[in-house]
Amino acid sequence: MAVPVAFFALFFAWPVAAILARGLRADGAWRFGRLADVVTQPDIRHVLWFTTWQALASTGLTLLLALPAAYVFARLDFPGKELLRAVVTVPFVLPTVVAGSAFLALVGRGGLLDRLWGVRLDTTVWAILLAHVFFNYAVVVRTVGGLWAQLDPRQEEAARMLGASPLRAWRQITLPALAPAVAAAALMVFLFTFTSFGVVQILGGPTFSTLEVEIYRQTSQVFDLSTAAVLTLVQFAAVGAILAVHARTVRRREAALRLVDPGATARRPRGAGQRALLAGVLGTVALLLVLPLAVLVRRSLDAPGFGYYRALTASDGGTFLVAPVQAVRTSLEYAVAATAIAVVIGGLAAAALARRDAGRLVRGFDALLMLPLGVSAVTVGFGFLIALDKPPLDLRQSWILVPLAQALVGAPFVVRTMLPVLRAVDVRLREAAAVLGASPWRVWREVDLPLVRRALLVAAGFAFAVSLGEFGATVFIARPDNPTLPVAVARLLSRPGDLNYGQAMALSTILMVVCAVSLLVLERLRTDRTGEF
């Protein structure tokens, strides 16, 4: 645990504490009264209210549209099912900047709706809500659908034979069994939308602002660290409560999973109702998930002769000190470095947590590993600039700063992926190898590693995809001569002109392709074929 604890203390706890201290401490005294002053401001109250209600609305809309798809993937068997599962998952691994760009190409100025019917939604909250559904659709499908596929359908069939209507049988038999998974999916969607940054930053404009966007504005534009620190504390408290509820829900869900039948339950659609449901799900996926991505690609090809893509190879000497296409190479290099760091840190933490003799302190660190997913990435990024600015850790001019920030987000995914597999390794295998004279290192190399190799590759794939799309912290610390793909897209979208907009669409398409390829590799490496995350 020494290396993971030192890593999180140095590159997470210290930067966050530094920016909070900078904002809440003045003249040697703490200004906790500033909390009430900030929270009671009308504009801040509006931000808090919008952050909460849009997260609730996004969660409800996502459940409404994705639960039928969860049933289709769990209970129905049809040609192209695995391909459709991959298509559904693509938006989830895409960076939020790409999701925002895709919907901007669909509902924004000059978008498909604008061209066909003269309708623009980029200045309304509907664009944000639909983009959140686009991004989180797979969370509900995989989390709920994974459990639904393992429920024994004979229980519901028995209720039907005893006279219950289809609705009553589903309400009294299936729904109670699915409740923990539905609650877990809803909490995850709420967490992702409550801390939304890239989508709201691109689609919300000056009208709509979440806590994360407001922290960014107060830090980088208004330079009011005091207000930013207070908002960070508010978000930290809210996310902490959400994660606590989520952890309890996951424990309930795990208890439920031990009781279900893991046998295959999918069958060909029967009857007009099931065929209509399948058609409705396919239509929803086509309109809500595929269409925005297709429009994104189409907008990137508006210039003849791949003009927007060719323009990426030229430096304008303004926003970018290098050609925008260099962001592709920079992002890949940073993502590889971040993946290596996340695998080492997350792998060591998972190995320590998997030990049966782990103490309470070690087990408590498991919960702390999730905090980087809940704390404002903007706060972490700006905290890097404040805390890591003096020898021996003056890293402001070092390229390693960006991979370190990205690894903070990737490491929890590594832990969550590897921990169940490490816990499942029979300890008697290690003991037998040790009795035969193998050293601890050889036991790990010849017993543990072959069993967890595939999980390790999956964890590395997740860390790579997450690092590739990280935006909140990177936007602060990426240097102008080394922008990442999400940062480059955001900068191009912030500048007027069709050429800049077209280049943003082209870069977003490139980023989408890279993430999709990573997803396809993950799908081939997955050890769990039930469809769960």
Side-chain angles (χ1 to χ4, degrees), residues 25-36:
R25 187 177 176 88
D27 300 326
W30 291 95
R31 300 183 300 168
F32 290 110
R34 182 67 174 153
L35 291 168

Side-chain angles (χ1 to χ4, degrees), residues 443-469:
V443 170
W444 161 255
R445 190 178 70 247
E446 298 189 10
V447 176
D448 291 75
L449 185 58
L451 295 174
V452 303
R453 182 185 293 115
R454 189 169 294 179
L456 182 63
L457 293 174
V458 172
F462 271 119
F464 180 81
V466 170
S467 302
L468 196 65

Side-chain angles (χ1 to χ4, degrees), residues 181-256:
V182 174
L187 282 168
M188 283 189 285
V189 174
F190 184 84
L191 176 63
F192 292 147
T193 53
F194 187 83
T195 58
S196 180
F197 177 59
V199 167
V200 181
Q201 178 78 354
I202 291 176
L203 297 176
T207 307
F208 303 106
S209 179
T210 58
L211 267 175
E212 189 86 354
V213 175
E214 187 63 20
I215 292 171
Y216 173 75
R217 190 180 76 85
Q218 294 290 339
T219 303
S220 63
Q221 299 176 11
V222 183
F223 302 107
D224 187 351
L225 291 185
S226 177
T227 299
V230 170
L231 295 179
T232 297
L233 287 176
V234 172
Q235 187 183 53
F236 185 80
V239 169
I242 295 170
L243 289 176
V245 176
H246 179 253
R248 183 177 179 183
T249 305
V250 167
R251 285 195 296 269
R252 290 177 56 200
R253 178 174 171 234
E254 288 176 346

